[in-house]
Amino acid sequence: VQLQASGGGLVQAGGSLRLSCTASGVTFSTYSMGWFRQAPGKERKFVAGINWSGGSQYYTDSVQGRFTISRDNAKNTVYLQMNSLKPEDTAVYYCAALKNGRWVRFPSKYDYWGQGTLVTVSS
């Protein structure tokens, strides 16, 4: 199983980025997917999650209204559209796959992880 995240980069505050995560070796449409982030010296935290069909999305409060998670099961890909970025959004962003969707906010419950992509937001 491989999850390949991409789309990170350097952006000014107020700007936008779209992260992508493509899965292989797994029946993508049967997994919930999540995005997490980890800032230097801090623990990995939940950012957004989406159920297998895309019909339900979940966000941490700090990104609600600014970030949008979506998925395309035909392309085995999950996206994270990030708008109105702030310096505090700076982190390595990870995508992950979860078979049991009820635990979407809990990183320890996820089955597979991608390698991470760095997002840096300058002030």
Side-chain angles (χ1 to χ4, degrees):
V1 177
Q2 188 171 18
L3 301 178
Q4 185 69 41
S6 62
L10 173 63
V11 64
Q12 288 188 327
S16 298
L17 283 174
R18 188 175 84 152
L19 306 184
S20 299
C21 173
T22 301
S24 59
V26 66
T27 306
F28 181 74
S29 60
T30 66
Y31 283 77
S32 294
M33 298 296 296
W35 286 98
F36 292 79
R37 65 187 179 187
Q38 188 167 19
K42 298 195 175 181
E43 64 182 3
R44 192 171 299 186
K45 293 185 177 180
F46 172 77
V47 175
I50 190 166
N51 75 332
W52 65 272
S53 69
S56 296
Q57 300 89 38
Y58 311 88
Y59 300 95
T60 193
D61 288 347
S62 62
V63 309
Q64 184 79 45
R66 300 189 297 123
F67 291 11
T68 302
I69 189 171
S70 61
R71 67 189 296 160
D72 184 340
N73 286 345
K75 296 182 178 180
N76 285 5
T77 301
V78 61
Y79 305 98
L80 186 67
Q81 178 66 43
M82 306 186 294
N83 298 329
S84 303
L85 282 161
K86 304 176 180 180
E88 51 263 44
D89 295 317
T90 294
V92 177
Y93 283 70
Y94 298 89
C95 62
L98 172 67
K99 191 64 172 176
N100 188 338
R102 66 183 297 184
W103 304 111
V104 69
R105 296 178 183 271
F106 299 88
S108 64
K109 300 295 186 180
Y110 278 72
D111 300 286
Y112 305 108
W113 289 85
Q115 85 289 359
T117 185
L118 176 63
V119 172
T120 304
V121 184
S122 63
S123 57

